[in-house]
Amino acid sequence: MAKIKITQTGSPIRRDKTQRATLVGLGLNKMHRTVEVEETPEVLGQVRKVAHLVSVEAA
């Protein structure tokens, strides 16, 4: 599987609880944190849900 880098660029303040939980599920909880994860359908679905709060690039 390919890996992708996900960086949190937006604040979860005043966002829905599910969006906050999705960020935590991806391993992000503070601004400008970056995680490298496997590119699976589950992860891509989470990224799609919070696309306005993260930036994604190939690793």
Side-chain angles (χ1 to χ4, degrees):
M1 279 281 165
K3 290 202 173 235
I4 56 174
K5 284 186 180 181
I6 305 171
T7 304
Q8 183 177 345
T9 56
S11 173
I13 295 173
R14 287 190 278 163
R15 301 289 178 185
D16 192 45
K17 287 182 181 181
T18 58
Q19 291 179 4
R20 292 183 193 196
T22 302
L23 286 174
V24 172
L26 287 170
L28 301 168
N29 61 352
K30 292 190 179 179
M31 293 285 292
H32 309 295
R33 289 261 172 106
T34 301
V35 294
E36 191 170 315
V37 295
E38 292 287 336
E39 186 177 357
T40 62
E42 293 83 7
V43 169
L44 293 177
Q46 288 179 320
V47 168
R48 197 174 309 117
K49 186 172 182 177
V50 292
H52 56 287
L53 299 174
V54 298
S55 64
V56 181
E57 61 185 45

